[in-house]
Amino acid sequence: MAKNIKQYAFFDYSVNEALLLSEKEENTLNGIIENIRQEYHSNVDKFSKQIICSHVESLLGYSERFYNRQFITRGKANHQILERLENLLTEYFNSDDLAIKGLPSVRYVSKELNLSPSYLSSLPRTVTGQSTQQHIHDKLIEKARGKLSNTSLSISEIAYELGFEHSQSFSKLFKTKTKTSPLEFRKQINLR
């Protein structure tokens, strides 16, 4: 159980990201907790440890089920967080000091949104199928395409303006995301 406990990411969440339960779900979890309490206070025998561990595993399994369900049923709240994420990234990438600040990290974004990094990693992936890092990269690529299309800046200058220390890192990420290099992208745009 000690090895498996790390798979439950919700242990790293903040208090404000607590599990929201329906009355039925709350009764289910309270029933399991009561079974653990009864087993703990009854006469200890060779089965006690195994039974308690089984109940704890059930508690964790139900908690994970209910936790994942809330991402689906809390659509409005989830979309508000995703909208705040989108606005934050847009504002960040539109700032003039991007070259100084560098690329935003998931930790930075989570701090700005007042969410734990673990929660911010789970929410977008559950709702959109993409991680927060992928959202950051998508916003970066969108900004890069604009600069490649609308400026005569060199690839190195664009990379620097987007917060990259090395243009090779920018080119590699751009090619990974778009299947074309920044230079090839620019040539395609100029042919149109």
Side-chain angles (χ1 to χ4, degrees), residues 129-142:
Q130 288 190 306
S131 69
T132 303
Q133 190 65 52
Q134 287 170 311
H135 281 278
I136 292 169
H137 286 166
D138 287 351
K139 190 56 82 174
L140 171 77
I141 296 302
E142 179 184 315

Side-chain angles (χ1 to χ4, degrees), residues 89-104 139-171 186:
L89 293 176
T90 298
E91 186 178 309
Y92 191 95
F93 281 108
N94 286 338
S95 70
D96 293 332
D97 58 348
L98 189 57
I100 297 166
K101 294 190 303 189
L103 296 175
K139 190 56 82 174
L140 171 77
I141 296 302
E142 179 184 315
K143 187 73 172 178
R145 283 181 169 149
K147 287 186 176 289
L148 288 165
S149 302
N150 302 320
T151 71
S152 59
L153 296 172
S154 71
I155 305 301
S156 295
E157 290 170 323
I158 292 172
Y160 178 75
E161 281 192 5
L162 292 174
F164 285 88
E165 290 183 32
H166 307 286
S167 63
Q168 298 90 339
S169 299
F170 165 68
S171 295
R186 181 173 264 168

